[in-house]
Amino acid sequence: MAHPPDHGFCTNGVVRLVFVLVAVCLVGYTIRPSLHWSLKEKGSCPQCPCDCSKDFDPIPVDIINSSFSDCGKHEPEVKEEMEKDIIALMSEELSLQQTVANETLQRTDALLMGARRVSLHYQKEAEKCNAGVETCEEARERAQAELVEELRLSEVWERRARELGWTDNS
């Protein structure tokens, strides 16, 4: 099975880059609430009653578990996000990636259709040009044949005139 031709910006590398950017945004979105609450501790809001230690290692995959269940319960969006389990988050991420891929595919299809229209237009113009060249070539060939015939007739008339005594005094 032949691979489709490369269409500029819509390569596997670009799609992967988009997926990586979406993943980075999702990680930033998940980390943002904890940063938000740590900055808000200095304000008038009560301190978060969760057990969020400041010296933990890089964020594990199962960051949303029971030890963090109290974090963000004062903010509805964060509370809703924290109640989701890892499978729901992964399925949501996959859904977002699928949406991005579908949108990219739609843009690519639209660009491909535009390229086909332009290609068809130029193909029609080339056919018109070729027809014009053929017409000109046929007219040139007819003119050349008529010139050869005219030269032959002129030669015949000049020969007859010489036979009748005409001389070229020029």
Side-chain angles (χ1 to χ4, degrees), residues 35-94:
L35 292 176
H36 172 74
W37 283 108
S38 67
L39 293 175
K40 275 214 148 185
E41 286 176 359
K42 298 174 184 172
S44 63
C45 295
Q47 187 174 1
C48 182
C50 62
D51 181 23
C52 305
S53 62
K54 304 262 190 254
D55 51 43
F56 59 88
D57 290 327
I59 300 169
V61 176
D62 59 345
I63 186 172
I64 302 174
N65 61 21
S66 61
S67 68
F68 294 102
S69 61
D70 291 336
C71 291
K73 70 179 181 182
H74 303 294
E75 192 173 328
E77 290 178 6
V78 174
K79 184 177 179 183
E80 179 184 331
E81 215 38 54
M82 295 301 282
E83 289 172 355
K84 292 182 180 178
D85 64 350
I86 192 69
I87 294 174
L89 289 174
M90 289 300 209
S91 67
E92 183 180 342
E93 182 178 351
L94 286 174

Side-chain angles (χ1 to χ4, degrees), residues 36-166:
H36 172 74
W37 283 108
S38 67
L39 293 175
K40 275 214 148 185
E41 286 176 359
K42 298 174 184 172
S44 63
C45 295
Q47 187 174 1
C48 182
C50 62
D51 181 23
C52 305
S53 62
K54 304 262 190 254
D55 51 43
F56 59 88
D57 290 327
I59 300 169
V61 176
D62 59 345
I63 186 172
I64 302 174
N65 61 21
S66 61
S67 68
F68 294 102
S69 61
D70 291 336
C71 291
K73 70 179 181 182
H74 303 294
E75 192 173 328
E77 290 178 6
V78 174
K79 184 177 179 183
E80 179 184 331
E81 215 38 54
M82 295 301 282
E83 289 172 355
K84 292 182 180 178
D85 64 350
I86 192 69
I87 294 174
L89 289 174
M90 289 300 209
S91 67
E92 183 180 342
E93 182 178 351
L94 286 174
S95 173
L96 288 172
Q97 289 178 355
Q98 182 66 37
T99 302
V100 168
N102 287 340
E103 289 172 356
T104 303
L105 184 61
Q106 287 173 349
R107 282 193 305 274
T108 302
D109 287 343
L111 289 172
L112 183 60
M113 291 304 295
R116 285 181 180 163
R117 274 193 305 270
V118 169
S119 173
L120 183 62
H121 172 74
Y122 284 123
Q123 186 176 3
K124 287 179 181 179
E125 291 297 318
E127 288 172 0
K128 286 182 198 176
C129 183
N130 287 339
V133 167
E134 286 179 22
T135 302
C136 287
E137 184 64 24
E138 289 170 359
R140 186 195 62 76
E141 288 173 358
R142 280 195 308 270
Q144 187 176 8
E146 289 174 3
L147 179 63
V148 167
E149 180 63 22
E150 190 65 34
L151 288 174
R152 188 189 66 76
L153 286 174
S154 292
E155 197 175 295
V156 168
W157 282 104
E158 188 175 333
R159 191 174 5 111
R160 285 184 186 168
R162 287 186 195 272
E163 287 173 359
L164 293 176
W166 177 77

